[in-house]
Each structure stands twice: as C-alpha cells, then as structure tokens.
Amino acid sequence: MPKRTGASHAVAAFVMMVGGTYLKDFLKRYVDAGDLATVVADAAGTVAAHPDIDATAETVTLVLSAAVVAGLAFVWGYAYHRTVL
C-alpha cells in the first residue's frame, strides 16, 4: 500500500467501520451497556463533585468519552503504522 496517497487511512477507516460492528457484537456478550453507562456516570459524578473542578457531570462524561475514543484511535494508528509501514 502506498505510504503517501492516504489510501492507508481510507482502508483503516473502512476496516474500523466493519470491524467495529463485529467488535460491538462480540462485546455485547461480555459487557452490559447499562452497567458500563452506570460506571461512567458514577465516575463523572465523582469527578464533577470535586471542589476544584468547575464542570457538570455531563461535561465530564463527554470529555471522558472523547479521551477513550482518542486513545483507541491512537493505539489503532500506532499499531497499524508499526506493523504495515
């Protein structure tokens, strides 16, 4: 795959879309979304209740979600470029 055309990123995005569907189905067997949402909400409430943090629980939840997505994207990109390029 050429390194400078951007095709690697297009293929990675496509694989992520297709793979994400299968990953979601696989995780449904082992992780209950309601339990996960409760854990995230509790963690966000704990962080938002800290006196030095001026944020609502919804804002903290959004930031935590964005951090998880960014972390997964970084790991995917690093692994892809280390193994393919």
Side-chain angles (χ1 to χ4, degrees), residues 59-75:
T59 304
V60 174
T61 302
L62 181 64
V63 170
L64 288 175
S65 300
V68 168
V69 170
L72 290 173
F74 175 78
V75 169

Side-chain angles (χ1 to χ4, degrees), residues 8-48:
S8 64
H9 291 273
V11 170
F14 179 74
V15 168
M16 198 63 177
M17 285 174 40
V18 173
T21 302
Y22 292 112
L23 181 62
K24 179 184 71 167
D25 293 340
F26 177 75
L27 288 176
K28 279 184 180 179
R29 296 179 183 185
Y30 300 105
V31 178
D32 183 29
D35 292 342
L36 187 59
T38 302
V39 168
V40 171
D42 290 345
T46 301
V47 171

Side-chain angles (χ1 to χ4, degrees), residues 43-57:
T46 301
V47 171
H50 195 277
D52 293 336
I53 297 177
D54 186 26
T56 64

Side-chain angles (χ1 to χ4, degrees), residues 8-9 12 15-16 70-85:
S8 64
H9 291 273
V15 168
M16 198 63 177
L72 290 173
F74 175 78
V75 169
W76 169 265
Y78 180 79
Y80 177 80
H81 285 95
R82 291 290 294 169
T83 58
V84 174
L85 299 180

